[in-house]
Amino acid sequence: MVSDELDALQNRFPACETLAYADLTTGMVLVTNGNTPLERHGLNQLSADAALLLGGADDTPQFGTDAPSSVIVSSQVAVSLFLRAEGQPNDALLCVGRGELDLTAFIPEARACLKRISEDG
């Protein structure tokens, strides 16, 4: 179940406070982790940011000419990570965490989580 996968990933990386599985084509967040602090408006904005940065499967992203498979936006206090699924280019995992999130350890786990989710869907 998607929510179980997201909750398990968030439990392993508590500095990642929001995990959302989204459809880039519709710009909709489909499922979030159970204790995300973001409300609907914040989730909608997160999804819009992902679509802008990653582009849809057939769209060119706002920045650059090729649709990237991932984008990281960070500051000293927060980090956002947007990952596109390899086999399902409209599926994305959206992550928002505190600045101390260990991206080196988190990214491979997040990619594996997204792969499981998008292949099961």
Side-chain angles (χ1 to χ4, degrees):
M1 193 158 140
V2 175
S3 59
D4 293 337
E5 288 281 351
L6 298 178
D7 287 344
L9 182 60
Q10 199 270 328
N11 286 335
R12 287 193 303 278
F13 295 91
C16 184
E17 297 173 331
T18 295
L19 289 157
Y21 179 59
D23 181 329
L24 293 172
T25 302
T26 62
M28 292 180 58
V29 169
L30 304 173
V31 181
T32 66
N33 61 306
N35 61 350
T36 180
L38 289 180
E39 295 186 19
R40 178 56 48 194
H41 176 73
L43 292 169
N44 288 342
Q45 184 60 55
L46 189 63
S47 183
D49 291 346
L52 177 72
L53 295 168
L54 293 174
D58 300 323
D59 298 333
T60 300
Q62 188 71 26
F63 307 101
T65 56
D66 296 322
S69 62
S70 64
V71 174
I72 299 171
V73 179
S74 68
S75 70
Q76 291 181 344
V77 296
V79 62
S80 297
L81 172 66
F82 305 99
L83 299 173
R84 179 192 306 276
E86 289 182 25
Q88 301 291 330
N90 289 317
D91 291 356
L93 184 63
L94 319 178
C95 315
V96 179
R98 297 186 305 271
E100 70 263 18
L101 178 62
D102 179 357
L103 290 175
T104 303
F106 179 74
I107 291 173
E109 296 258 359
R111 284 197 185 284
C113 177
L114 178 57
K115 183 176 181 175
R116 287 190 300 275
I117 291 169
S118 66
E119 287 178 353
D120 286 344

